[in-house]
Amino acid sequence: MQVLNRTLAAVTVLFVLSACTTNTTPSPNATATRAAAPAPTATQTAPAPTPQPATPAILAATTLAEATPSATPALASTPSAAPTACAAKATPAQTEGPYYLANPPAKDSLVEPGMAGTRVTLRGRVFDLQCRPIAGAKVDVWQADAAGAYDLKGYRLRGVTTADAQGAYSLATIRPGLYPGRTSHIHVKVWLPNGKTLTTQVYFPGVAANNTDGIYDAALLAAMSQAADGSEIAELNFFVAP
Ligand code: FE
């Protein structure tokens, strides 16, 4: 019996030891699991992918930088907050008429000393149909003087100005006089850097002859305001499909 008891005791001890060992095993496992969870390994694994995403990030930046047109719209949305008129509708083209002279001089002002007429600054911005400013667009202007006469021998009241990086242009001039059949108007050619051209005209609100001019288009009416010096500002944006 003693032998049997000892055997049983031994077996019991072995069983307990075995159970302890089995219980101990899960612990390391748990530790391993925790070790994996805090995953310094995972953390190390993360940095590995991180540099990889970092590369795409750089590539993305490069892509944006290269995709200037794509990047521009994002930037354009800032200035386009101003042009509420951005309905992506192209500015209507109008007849050039018989008085255009090619190769006008670059000017910021068409006003000459002693020139008669109400001073007005024609200004605005040149956009494409997505309201992105068209930097470097040329705004080529010609018009009649206050008496309704065109200079057909020289470049009086003729000139071309260049839009800045925001597509903004500005040209000081005078209110054009009327001539038979026409209301007050300023002829404009917008030359895009890619060579495309919009030929149109700008009109002034409140001119009685607007109602009898067959060429007049209310879509080309300038928005009027007054400058600090009391002169007029006539504003019209041009929307041109590149
Ligand atoms: Fe004309």
Side-chain angles (χ1 to χ4, degrees):
M1 277 303 284
Q2 280 186 349
V3 173
L4 183 60
N5 284 341
R6 283 179 186 174
T7 305
L8 283 173
V11 167
T12 304
V13 167
L14 282 173
F15 179 81
V16 170
L17 282 176
S18 167
C20 285
T21 307
T22 310
N23 286 341
T24 307
T25 309
S27 295
N29 279 348
T31 309
T33 308
R34 284 180 188 174
T41 311
T43 311
Q44 286 175 340
T45 308
T50 305
Q52 287 177 345
T55 309
I58 293 169
L59 286 175
T62 308
T63 306
L64 282 177
E66 289 174 351
T68 307
S70 307
T72 310
L75 294 173
S77 61
T78 311
S80 69
T84 316
C86 183
K89 193 173 179 181
T91 298
Q94 291 219 305
T95 178
E96 178 178 302
Y99 304 125
Y100 180 68
L101 292 184
N103 305 313
K107 294 180 184 175
D108 290 326
S109 175
L110 305 184
V111 182
E112 296 172 7
M115 186 176 269
T118 302
R119 266 50 177 173
V120 59
T121 297
L122 178 64
R123 73 182 190 191
R125 295 175 70 186
V126 182
F127 296 103
D128 66 15
L129 298 190
Q130 280 72 49
C131 292
R132 292 175 293 202
I134 302 180
K138 305 271 187 190
V139 179
D140 180 353
V141 169
W142 71 105
Q143 65 171 83
D145 63 17
Y150 283 87
D151 176 9
L152 302 178
K153 297 177 181 172
Y155 290 93
R156 185 168 169 264
L157 289 171
R158 299 171 185 274
V160 60
T161 188
T162 303
D164 66 15
Q166 304 305 314
Y169 73 92
S170 179
L171 189 69
T173 184
I174 58 161
R175 281 271 204 136
L178 281 63
Y179 58 89
R182 295 306 317 276
T183 185
S184 182
H185 63 281
I186 294 179
H187 293 272
V188 176
K189 274 181 183 290
V190 180
W191 302 86
L192 301 193
N194 66 5
K196 211 166 179 184
T197 310
L198 164 71
T199 301
T200 189
Q201 302 183 27
V202 179
Y203 298 95
F204 299 88
V207 179
N210 286 346
N211 302 317
T212 53
D213 185 326
I215 299 174
Y216 167 81
D217 184 340
L220 296 167
L221 270 179
M224 304 302 296
S225 59
Q226 196 172 48
D229 66 359
S231 65
E232 294 183 326
I233 295 172
E235 200 152 351
L236 186 67
N237 296 328
F238 298 110
F239 296 88
V240 191

